[in-house]
Amino acid sequence: MRTIEWDARGVVRMIDQRRLPLELVIVEFGDYRGVAQAIREMVIRGAPAIGAAAAFGLALAARQSRATDSQALLADLEQAAAELRATRPTAVNLSWALDRMLARARSGQAMTVNSLIQELIAEAQRIADEDVAINRRMGAHGATLIQDGSHILTHCNAGSLATVGYGTALAVVRAAHEQGKRLHVWVDETRPRLQGARLTAWELMNEGIPMTLIADNAAGHLLRSGRVDIVLVGSDRTAANGDVVNKIGTYNLAVLAQENGVPFYAVVPTSTIDLTVATGDDIPIEERDGQEVTHIDGCQIAPPGVAVFNPAFDVTPHRYVTGIITENGIAYPPFDQSLRQMVAGERGDRR
Ligand code: MRU
């Protein structure tokens, strides 16, 4: 099944990513507030996946509304969108999907309430379907960079589970694997929430793609000893100048990659590029509960009462980024020009 899907009974179904890899549990929501909570608690996570979740959440809000005219329905949707938008601040796909849903609701003000609700469900479904198609296009562009026999290093989970399906950074891995290229993936465990160990390892092993799990602090050693040919990561938001905001620890990798002459690419649907923010420093960095650091699977590993700082993302300045792979091609520096072309839908792969 996809990471998230709409069920004809009028409920949203999603894989509970907190339970993987030991249990594959599907949870269902008929209330948009449940979806908001699921995003906050990372039942579903990953920038494109939470965008789709927000869109389906708004479709649920439309079904739940008691409005008798389209204007009142729009007011209910704006309220629900504000709640969904507040769940996680960094990934721009969340706001992008909500804005697209609200724009559809505004343009459908002449419709009856029932037809508008159906149209909003269809729009959320389009967002989900387009995500998979876009990821396949990113995979095809990115696979041109992967040589037969490559060793790829990745961080966090930028796979199927971070999207509706097929992934971002792992879309490139999948596409190259499907083309018959021999490859091997080094998977950072990705503390504190271990998305690499729990999710990326699960996905790659399920598909028989050769991989090895490493502790985060082993990455520098591998890069220095020539055991990595390319670093591929996703992004939660990419600024107009090409600064990449992604899972905490990405910046360390990018600096170490450049120091060791290893190319570093972000794999990013254009919905993740935010041209309204000039640099990565303008992007809000989510800070999460300290328990994510002091505990692993409920087991306390630090002294009670210890002070903790737990930023969920970091900024990789664009000077460390070799290229940004989008569904419209691969953007190269100067990113302030090439990213605009990608967002405008112009064909890329320009150096
Ligand atoms: O906190 P998470 O697990 O939602 O963070 C996810 C990431 O950082 C991914 O790398 C990112 O969403 C891009 S991959 C689709």
Side-chain angles (χ1 to χ4, degrees):
M1 115 174 221
R2 288 178 169 187
T3 300
I4 179 164
E5 53 190 32
W6 181 264
D7 185 281
R9 292 169 299 146
V11 296
V12 177
R13 306 175 77 233
M14 56 180 89
I15 296 174
D16 187 341
Q17 300 193 31
R18 299 167 309 175
R19 308 284 288 273
L20 288 172
L22 299 182
E23 286 178 301
L24 178 58
V25 175
I26 311 299
V27 282
E28 294 187 346
F29 299 97
D31 181 336
Y32 79 88
R33 288 197 172 93
V35 173
Q37 193 178 352
I39 297 172
R40 211 177 294 113
E41 294 178 1
M42 295 176 67
V43 171
I44 188 162
R45 34 63 53 199
I50 60 178
F56 282 129
L58 215 56
L60 285 180
R63 272 178 59 96
Q64 288 172 263
S65 168
R66 301 219 171 126
T68 51
D69 61 70
S70 299
Q71 212 180 344
L73 177 60
L74 178 60
D76 285 348
L77 292 174
E78 281 168 345
Q79 162 66 31
E83 287 176 49
L84 287 159
R85 206 184 295 270
T87 51
R88 294 194 74 190
T90 303
V92 73
N93 307 62
L94 188 64
S95 287
W96 170 86
L98 289 168
D99 289 340
R100 179 165 154 179
M101 291 289 287
L102 288 175
R104 187 67 199 94
R106 286 189 194 105
S107 68
Q109 286 295 285
M111 297 169 93
T112 64
V113 169
N114 279 342
S115 344
L116 185 51
I117 292 170
Q118 290 315 310
E119 181 47 33
L120 288 165
I121 295 169
E123 184 72 359
Q125 190 59 54
R126 276 192 287 272
I127 288 173
D129 292 342
E130 285 169 20
D131 178 69
V132 181
I134 282 169
N135 296 343
R136 287 192 175 274
R137 282 164 58 194
M138 290 195 298
H141 287 299
T144 61
L145 301 170
I146 307 298
Q147 310 294 321
D148 187 42
S150 285
H151 294 270
I152 300 164
L153 176 65
T154 193
H155 191 62
C156 192
N157 172 263
S160 286
L161 292 162
T163 63
V164 178
Y166 207 67
T168 59
L170 292 194
V172 175
V173 170
R174 286 199 163 89
H177 180 73
E178 284 163 15
Q179 289 169 3
K181 291 178 184 164
R182 287 164 303 151
L183 48 85
H184 164 259
V185 187
W186 296 109
V187 177
D188 275 1
E189 60 177 346
T190 318
R191 276 284 283 152
R193 288 192 67 113
L194 299 167
Q195 290 95 328
R198 296 192 302 105
L199 308 177
T200 300
W202 183 77
E203 277 192 32
L204 293 177
M205 288 177 78
N206 279 346
E207 290 179 38
I209 299 177
M211 60 139 294
T212 306
L213 180 64
I214 56 167
D216 294 324
N217 30 13
H221 174 63
L222 294 179
L223 284 157
R224 207 181 82 80
S225 53
R227 280 181 267 195
V228 181
D229 298 300
I230 186 169
V231 179
L232 294 175
V233 297
S235 171
D236 292 82
R237 199 185 306 202
T238 293
N241 70 345
D243 289 355
V244 170
V245 170
N246 190 48
K247 180 53 55 194
I248 192 79
T250 302
Y251 171 51
N252 311 23
L253 283 182
V255 175
L256 285 163
Q258 187 168 94
E259 169 68 17
N260 292 287
V262 175
F264 176 96
Y265 284 86
V267 190
V268 168
T270 52
S271 57
T272 302
I273 300 169
D274 188 349
L275 295 177
T276 70
V277 292
T279 78
D281 293 331
D282 305 322
I283 295 173
I285 301 292
E286 177 182 8
E287 286 175 30
R288 294 188 61 88
D289 197 316
Q291 254 209 318
E292 292 184 348
V293 180
T294 58
H295 291 64
I296 295 181
D297 269 348
C299 174
Q300 187 157 351
I301 56 161
V306 68
V308 180
F309 177 49
N310 184 22
F313 302 98
D314 61 23
V315 180
T316 296
H318 60 91
R319 66 178 177 280
Y320 296 108
V321 179
T322 310
I324 299 177
I325 301 164
T326 77
E327 72 272 27
N328 293 328
I330 306 175
Y332 288 101
F335 290 116
D336 47 1
Q337 291 168 29
S338 58
L339 286 183
R340 274 179 203 282
Q341 288 165 344
M342 294 297 150
V343 171
E346 293 168 24
R347 190 71 182 81
D349 300 357
R350 297 182 183 85
R351 270 198 189 268

